[in-house]
Amino acid sequence: MRPEHPVVLITGASSGFGEAVARLLAANGFHLALGARRVERVRVLADELVKAHGIKVFAGAVDTRETASVNAFVEAAATALGGLHVLVANAGLASGTFKLWETPDEDLEAMLRTNVEGVVKTIRAGLPHVRKAGWGHVFFIGSTAGHQPYEGGSVYCASKFGVKAMAQTLRLEVNGEQIRVTSVDPGMAETEFSNVRMKDEAKARAVYQGVKPLAAFDVAECVRWCLMLPDHVNIDEILVKCTDQASVHKVHRRA
Ligand code: NDP
Ligand code: 8X3
């Protein structure tokens, strides 16, 4: 049965979508477990949300690429909050815009280890707690890049096609349990994503030049809506783009 105040674990809560999901769900009375590598940011956010909403928040350092780090974070969160109900496997990144044959090992590994392995490790550690609770929801954060490949995105797209496959697989595997599985797949959204990808402020800004992109809050709202629906309703996938983006390759830009 749905608890009055479900506990939501969010990876990548130090920025962007993860932070926005934390803010929106805190305002809706959910308890939170927030993790990222930049733990100071997460702690500041946690303090703010506790004060503003009187909810319980656990804040911890986690590197989702590392099994021991993920397991320690998830166990500490579940112990501190008395269990887990919802997992938001959000931590992820793109690194560079290389042609497939130019992709350096460092960028290849960063994307596959975070976007694919990190998601597996997070859900692998968190799912037993969700099962124990008997009610839950697992969110994957995919991308339009998991629906339509584009030049310079081969490994990132491969990782997000992988996320889509994992979401579809998990839904099959937990069928019969009260665990919903949703993939929220955004198009271009202005967060720290392009700064991380481009490693250059001006190049990151140029990605959104003349466009009104999605904001992190728009994506958080998708998560909130799926969570709030009645228990018998599972939204499998939300493909959400800003109005200026008709497809990966067609973006309207104002002068
Ligand atoms: P941000 O860069 O703003 O946030 C990424 C978050 O992931 C940060 O909190 C970062 O925290 C965390 N993170 C990255 N690597 C790790 C790691 N190894 N361990 C733990 N946390 C990690 O980008 P977004 O909010 O935009 O990205 C969130 C997700 O959304 C990603 O999966 C991304 O691929 C996806 N996405 C983004 C889109 C966009 O256009 N912005 C569109 C579609 C999908 P820290 O560095 O502190 O560890
Ligand atoms: C992020 C959106 O278009 O940079 O997943 O791949 S895009």
Side-chain angles (χ1 to χ4, degrees), residues 172-223:
L172 295 170
E173 290 172 343
V174 300
N175 180 243
E177 302 180 57
Q178 183 55 57
I179 299 176
R180 297 183 287 180
V181 179
T182 298
S183 186
V184 176
D185 300 353
M188 58 200 302
E190 196 163 9
T191 60
E192 293 181 11
F193 176 84
S194 290
N195 301 77
V196 172
R197 178 176 220 170
M198 303 299 185
K199 303 174 184 78
D200 178 298
E201 192 72 35
K203 284 185 185 163
R205 262 201 313 276
V207 173
Y208 311 108
Q209 190 77 44
V211 177
K212 184 168 172 52
L214 293 175
F217 175 82
D218 302 321
V219 175
E221 179 57 24
C222 293
V223 172

Side-chain angles (χ1 to χ4, degrees), residues 11-248:
T11 60
S14 61
S15 168
F17 300 162
E19 178 184 341
V21 171
R23 289 184 180 283
L24 189 59
L25 295 187
N28 282 270
F30 290 81
H31 299 310
L32 301 172
L34 307 179
R37 292 167 300 178
R38 289 171 293 177
V39 69
E40 265 318 308
R41 281 193 183 204
V42 173
R43 289 199 180 114
V44 170
L45 176 64
D47 286 347
E48 182 193 326
L49 297 179
V50 168
K51 283 192 192 111
H53 304 292
I55 53 161
K56 290 195 271 181
V57 185
F58 172 84
V62 65
D63 183 337
T64 58
R65 296 169 300 183
E66 303 293 340
T67 300
S69 172
V70 175
N71 290 349
F73 168 68
V74 170
E75 291 314 310
T79 302
L81 298 168
L84 301 173
H85 303 97
V86 180
L87 309 175
V88 184
N90 163 74
L93 79 170
S95 190
T97 54
F98 304 101
K99 299 262 181 352
L100 184 144
W101 60 88
E102 292 168 343
T103 311
D105 275 351
E106 191 187 337
D107 302 273
L108 173 64
E109 284 168 21
M111 289 186 271
L112 294 182
R113 287 191 64 204
T114 313
N115 300 356
V116 179
E117 292 184 28
V119 168
V120 174
K121 290 174 185 193
T122 300
I123 296 170
R124 187 175 66 191
L127 197 62
H129 295 286
V130 178
R131 283 202 154 117
K132 194 169 158 205
W135 178 92
H137 203 142
V138 179
F139 286 91
F140 292 77
I141 304 297
S143 169
T144 46
H147 293 255
Q148 193 185 4
Y150 55 87
E151 305 87 333
S154 57
V155 176
Y156 181 66
C157 294
S159 73
K160 291 300 186 180
F161 270 81
V163 168
K164 184 161 70 169
M166 290 191 286
Q168 291 178 356
T169 306
L170 183 68
R171 195 174 306 110
L172 295 170
E173 290 172 343
V174 300
N175 180 243
E177 302 180 57
Q178 183 55 57
I179 299 176
R180 297 183 287 180
V181 179
T182 298
S183 186
V184 176
D185 300 353
M188 58 200 302
E190 196 163 9
T191 60
E192 293 181 11
F193 176 84
S194 290
N195 301 77
V196 172
R197 178 176 220 170
M198 303 299 185
K199 303 174 184 78
D200 178 298
E201 192 72 35
K203 284 185 185 163
R205 262 201 313 276
V207 173
Y208 311 108
Q209 190 77 44
V211 177
K212 184 168 172 52
L214 293 175
F217 175 82
D218 302 321
V219 175
E221 179 57 24
C222 293
V223 172
R224 190 201 63 81
W225 178 69
C226 294
L227 256 178
M228 295 303 214
L229 287 168
D231 289 350
H232 69 286
V233 181
N234 187 91
I235 304 298
D236 287 9
E237 193 174 275
I238 295 186
L239 184 59
V240 53
K241 307 197 296 312
C242 66
T243 308
D244 285 336
Q245 183 174 27
S247 86
V248 161

